[in-house]
Amino acid sequence: MSSLRTSKLDRHNLQSCRHDTLLLTSAPHAAEAGCVHPIHKPSTITCGRDGNEDAWPAEVYPAQLALPGDDLLIDPESSPQSVQSWERAKDRNLVTRQKNVIYVAAPPKVDPEVKYVKTWTHAKPFRHGKQSASAPGTELPSSVPNVEDLLDYLSASYYPLPVKLFPSQLAYTPWDEETKFAGSVPSSCKAGPGKRKCTPSTIALRTSTEAIRIRTRSSPDSLFLSQLNLDDLLDVAISILPSDAYALLLLVSHDLYEDDDDVFVCGRAYGGSRVAVVSSARYNPSLDDIHGVDREHAWPASHCKRYVEACCSAAFAPPPKRRKIKKMRTGARGAKPLSPIHIPSSPAPSSSPTSPMGLALHRHVNDPPSIRLLYLIRLALTSAHELGHCFGLDHCTYYACCMQGSASLAEDARQPPYLCPVCEEKVVLATGADRKERLRRIGEVCERWGWGALGGWVEGVLGKHEDSGKVIKREKKRHSSQSSSVEEGREKTAIFRQG
């Protein structure tokens, strides 16, 4: 499904949508496409692999939507990671008193000798002949979100671990004489009038001890002038990892690529090495139309029945005539052909906002985030996701969850900002956090930011968390005998985890 076609459908057919009915289960076409949900009644501890009757209601933790082209349908047979399998993983790094700090490195500055690198962060204002839409009088953000705000959110998400700003300032600098130039392009570029300016093949990122080579290339979709290699940046993150760090997150303002097949990537983690890199470039709301992102139907309105039906219908619409659209490497590979279906639904909680999803939707509709806040939210959620991989969490396939995989920016916007009960249990066990206190702190961040949707969801969940604690205690007791045979000493190896 082309994201451009979906965006056009949303604008014309979903304007002023009231989100009358919510879909709290996966779209039925997911089963047709070969995606079988790993559980029917998941419990907070084991994800119900034994058919346990204890389960969270859907108005608290809905299922993943699994719309056409979504990550879950690209790899429908991916194995779920239960809490038990996460606990037994030999490559999982443990939090210790000596290594318990999460560091966040601010985007590197640019040395005067490579001044042209600054222009690589500027996206072209037009794409396919159209400028990204915004509400009248709305100023689209031109600068990246404040790092201090990001620290605030991550401190709540990974409470009680300390989250600190990395103390040294990184900087882009020349790799060799050929890349030194204080103008808009390096001196080695000889592009004449009307020709595309060239991109140096390498620059360097300077740390406090060394300069590390960073490969570059021109952006395949021409949205940005150049991109930086993600693997090289991850190597930088490994080299600067402090001795007391549990994990380090490196933020960059530039667009990224990982291999020749990528159009772009937004982030990645080397989970075993406890480092992650996240780019803010593509999350700017000014690019939403380009990527087919529907702000009105971002979470929690992504569960709107009418929107889900429209997305499914778009999968069968004939392609537009006499028009070529370059697709990213994010199609639903391996998915079986789908057929139009009717989407069953649950009553809309927006009319009676008492459940967590109902409160979230009510505030999303009546108090939507500003454009600048939206930019911050997107960067914060991806940062929390990639750090989750550093704690050994795989992509979630149980519920709609912050740790589920994403095949596009449109899907990314539909995903929830919270951890499902399965992934939350892993983080709580890793950090030693108190569940209610962790949620309370996230709610306080939402209040400071003015993030009504997540704040409403947290408010609704806190009222139900006392009962969930009883379920967790009962499940732990039931499975204590199973885990007694697991060796406490675990060998740690650095592995590559897909982000």
Side-chain angles (χ1 to χ4, degrees):
M1 178 178 60
S2 166
S3 61
L4 191 64
R5 284 166 56 196
T6 305
S7 178
K8 181 178 179 180
L9 179 146
D10 291 340
R11 285 197 299 269
H12 289 285
N13 296 339
L14 296 173
Q15 290 180 347
S16 303
C17 182
R18 296 184 302 170
H19 317 304
D20 290 328
T21 310
L22 291 186
L23 176 70
L24 302 180
T25 59
S26 296
H29 83 273
E32 293 185 36
C35 177
V36 179
H37 199 281
I39 43 130
H40 294 287
K41 292 184 177 181
S43 72
T44 29
I45 300 298
T46 66
C47 300
R49 284 179 155 263
D50 57 353
N52 189 285
E53 71 278 8
D54 293 319
W56 282 93
E59 62 266 21
V60 183
Y61 294 106
Q64 293 188 25
L65 289 170
L67 298 179
D70 280 2
D71 182 77
L72 195 61
L73 295 190
I74 293 176
D75 188 14
E77 297 181 358
S78 58
S79 300
Q81 184 194 44
S82 68
V83 176
Q84 282 73 33
S85 63
W86 171 83
E87 285 186 301
R88 296 168 183 169
K90 293 182 179 181
D91 54 14
R92 181 170 63 87
N93 294 294
L94 303 180
V95 177
T96 66
R97 291 184 178 181
Q98 293 74 32
K99 299 181 183 294
N100 65 351
V101 181
I102 297 175
Y103 283 96
V104 178
K109 66 178 183 179
V110 178
D111 282 352
E113 293 86 356
V114 288
K115 181 180 178 181
Y116 57 89
V117 172
K118 288 184 178 180
T119 65
W120 296 356
T121 63
H122 304 154
K124 291 186 178 181
F126 291 89
R127 176 72 166 164
H128 300 300
K130 297 181 180 180
Q131 188 175 21
S132 186
S134 61
T138 299
E139 181 184 0
L140 292 172
S142 58
S143 59
V144 298
N146 190 300
V147 177
E148 294 296 332
D149 289 330
L150 184 60
L151 293 174
D152 193 24
Y153 181 78
L154 294 177
S155 295
S157 297
Y158 290 101
Y159 163 83
L161 301 187
V163 179
K164 301 179 181 179
L165 185 66
F166 184 71
S168 300
Q169 175 66 65
L170 307 177
Y172 297 113
T173 193
W175 175 246
D176 51 35
E177 291 298 322
E178 289 296 315
T179 56
K180 286 185 178 181
F181 189 61
S184 59
V185 293
S187 56
S188 58
C189 291
K190 306 297 183 181
K195 295 183 179 180
R196 183 175 179 178
K197 296 177 180 178
C198 68
T199 298
S201 60
T202 58
I203 58 172
L205 186 54
R206 188 181 67 245
T207 70
S208 60
T209 60
E210 61 181 331
I212 299 176
R213 185 194 68 162
I214 307 296
R215 288 167 290 175
T216 73
R217 74 170 188 184
S218 298
S219 176
D221 62 0
S222 301
L223 186 57
F224 293 88
L225 287 175
S226 298
Q227 299 173 316
L228 306 182
N229 183 265
L230 175 62
D231 290 334
D232 294 344
L233 291 169
L234 284 164
D235 288 341
V236 173
I238 293 173
S239 73
I240 63 175
L241 188 67
S243 59
D244 63 341
Y246 177 79
L248 182 140
L249 170 68
L250 172 58
L251 300 174
V252 295
S253 304
H254 290 76
D255 202 25
L256 305 178
Y257 76 99
E258 190 169 14
D259 55 49
D260 292 340
D261 292 331
D262 292 325
V263 176
F264 66 89
V265 289
C266 293
R268 187 77 76 210
Y270 283 174
S273 298
R274 298 174 287 121
V275 296
V277 173
V278 171
S279 165
S280 61
R282 298 272 174 164
Y283 287 123
N284 193 319
S286 65
L287 307 178
D288 282 357
D289 274 8
I290 295 171
H291 296 299
V293 176
D294 182 359
R295 294 179 202 156
E296 184 180 357
H297 286 91
W299 182 88
S302 54
H303 289 267
C304 168
K305 171 180 177 286
R306 186 182 176 196
Y307 172 71
V308 172
E309 288 179 331
C311 288
C312 293
S313 298
F316 318 108
K321 296 182 179 180
R322 299 177 184 176
R323 188 175 188 178
K324 294 183 179 180
I325 299 173
K326 185 176 180 180
K327 296 182 180 180
M328 297 193 308
R329 190 183 57 144
T330 54
R333 294 167 291 171
K336 298 178 182 179
L338 309 179
S339 56
I341 51 162
H342 174 70
I343 306 295
S345 56
S346 302
S350 55
S351 59
S352 179
T354 57
S355 69
M357 283 296 292
L359 287 167
L361 181 61
H362 179 76
R363 295 184 185 179
H364 171 80
V365 172
N366 293 283
D367 187 21
S370 66
I371 296 299
R372 292 187 177 276
L373 176 57
L374 192 59
Y375 197 0
L376 172 60
I377 289 172
R378 293 172 178 178
L379 183 60
L381 296 187
T382 299
S383 298
H385 173 103
E386 297 301 341
L387 284 172
H389 290 312
C390 294
F391 284 88
L393 276 68
D394 287 346
H395 281 157
C396 181
T397 60
Y398 291 113
Y399 296 88
C401 176
C402 180
M403 285 305 301
Q404 69 186 83
S406 178
S408 67
L409 289 170
E411 180 185 4
D412 197 73
R414 295 193 294 263
Q415 295 177 351
Y418 55 75
L419 291 174
C420 76
V422 181
C423 294
E424 181 193 46
E425 174 71 4
K426 299 171 189 175
V427 170
V428 165
L429 289 173
T431 62
D434 175 81
R435 285 177 178 77
K436 292 183 68 175
E437 179 62 19
R438 176 182 175 275
L439 278 178
R440 187 186 67 80
R441 288 172 179 261
I442 292 176
E444 289 177 349
V445 173
C446 293
E447 185 175 355
R448 288 193 292 271
W449 288 7
W451 188 2
L454 180 57
W457 184 88
V458 168
E459 180 181 323
V461 171
L462 283 175
K464 297 177 177 291
H465 232 353
E466 182 176 352
D467 291 336
S468 74
K470 297 177 182 178
V471 173
I472 292 167
K473 185 176 181 180
R474 183 165 62 253
E475 288 293 309
K476 281 185 175 179
K477 183 177 180 180
R478 185 166 65 86
H479 289 279
S480 60
S481 60
Q482 298 178 8
S483 59
S484 61
S485 61
V486 180
E487 294 184 8
E488 294 182 2
R490 291 166 179 165
E491 179 184 1
K492 303 178 182 64
T493 58
I495 65 169
F496 176 86
R497 291 189 182 277
Q498 294 289 337

